[in-house]
Amino acid sequence: MRLDKFLSHTGFGSRKEVKEILKKKVVCVNGKPEKNGKKSIDENKDAVSVYGEVVNYKKFVYYMLNKPKGVISATEDNLHRTVIDLISEVDQVPGLFPVGRLDKDTTGLLIITNDGELSHQLLSPKKKVPKLYQAKVAGLMTAEDVLVFSTGVTISGNEHCLPAKLMILETDVESETTLINLEIVEGKFHQVKRMVEAVGKKVVTLDRQSMGGLFLDSQLKKGSYRELTDEELASLRN
Ligand code: URA
C-alpha cells in the first residue's frame, strides 16, 4: 500500500492533508524519515510513525454511502458503474463490497465495508435486522394494507413475508399517490416493490433510510459517502 493511502486510512486526512504532513518530515517508516507519499509499504509489517507515535493500521473500513440511482450494488460490472466505483481511490482498500443489495433505481443507505463477518451478521435471516424504506407509491395505500403487512403479506403468489410495519405518511387523492415508510426484517429480492404490488399498487421511488441502528446521515448528498463513527459502528454491531 502507498504510504499516503496508509496515512489517509489511519485518520490523517485527505491526500492533500497527508501531503502537507509528509512535507514536514515527521513521518518515519521503520525509523527512517520519509517524505515520499508514493513509497510502497507493507501495512502489516512496516512500522510507520507520525511525530514519533506509532500508527496502527485499521484492518476494516466501514463507509456509509447515500446510493444514487443508476449505479448497481456490486463490486464490478462490465457495463454499469458500481457502488464501489463511487469510493475515491484514496479510500479504496482490497476486498470492499456492499452489505446487501439495493436495486439500480433505489437510493439511500448502503454500507460499504471489507468486514465479511459484520456483513454476515447484518444479512443473516436469523438476525431479523430491521430495514426502513421510504417509498412513493402509485395508488392509495389503505388501513387494510397496514393490517395485511402487519400479519405478513404473500408476494408473487406463494412467498410469505414476515410481519412488516407500514406507515402511511401522506396520501394525495388527486394524483392517487401515497408516501409511505415501510420497515421490513428480511431481504427478499425486490421485496418492497413486490409487497406493494401484492396489494395492487406500484412503487415509484424507493429510498432506504436505516438498517439496524444506523440511520442515513441527512447531510450526505446522493453519491457521497463517509466513514462510520465509532458510535454508529457500535450501534450497528448491537
Ligand atoms: N426492496 C426492493 O424492492 N428494492 C430494493 O432495492 C430494496 C428493497
Side-chain angles (χ1 to χ4, degrees), residues 5-40:
K5 202 168 179 181
F6 173 91
L7 290 169
S8 189
H9 284 166
T10 47
F12 289 91
S14 64
R15 190 170 275 180
K16 200 170 153 214
E17 287 162 325
V18 162
K19 220 174 186 173
E20 290 304 309
I21 296 171
L22 284 162
K23 257 196 218 163
K24 291 181 189 160
K25 300 185 194 160
V26 293
V27 177
C28 292
V29 177
N30 300 324
K32 281 193 203 139
E34 182 59 68
K35 278 196 318 180
N36 181 7
K38 289 185 190 152
K39 184 184 167 65
S40 181

Side-chain angles (χ1 to χ4, degrees), residues 132-230:
L132 180 69
Y133 292 89
Q134 187 162 99
K136 187 175 167 195
V137 170
L140 296 176
M141 300 290 286
T142 63
E144 199 189 324
D145 298 335
V146 175
L147 193 66
V148 172
F149 282 13
S150 75
T151 52
V153 65
T154 302
I155 55 179
S156 309
N158 59 359
E159 262 187 85
H160 302 289
C161 294
L162 288 172
K165 282 185 210 148
L166 170 63
M167 289 146 272
I168 297 175
L169 304 178
E170 279 168 35
T171 40
D172 186 335
V173 180
E174 222 165 86
S175 65
E176 288 200 28
T177 56
T178 315
L179 187 67
I180 60 163
N181 272 355
L182 179 60
E183 188 185 89
I184 59 174
V185 293
E186 303 165 284
K188 295 184 193 294
F189 186 60
H190 295 327
Q191 183 161 346
V192 173
K193 291 175 185 165
R194 290 197 290 152
M195 286 173 74
V196 170
E197 261 168 39
V199 292
K201 289 115 201 172
K202 194 166 166 42
V203 168
V204 181
T205 62
L206 186 59
D207 185 75
R208 182 155 68 190
Q209 311 215 310
S210 75
M211 186 172 193
L214 181 68
F215 281 78
L216 181 65
D217 182 341
S218 58
Q219 303 296 309
L220 214 51
K221 294 200 181 93
K222 296 243 180 329
S224 302
Y225 67 94
R226 66 159 170 80
E227 266 200 83
L228 294 189
T229 63
D230 291 344

Side-chain angles (χ1 to χ4, degrees), residues 53-72:
E53 295 263 338
V54 174
V55 181
N56 289 315
Y57 181 63
K58 278 189 279 174
K59 197 168 164 202
F60 295 126
V61 294
Y62 305 90
Y63 302 127
M64 167 195 290
L65 169 74
N66 187 353
K67 180 190 170 296
K69 279 188 183 180
V71 294
I72 60 166

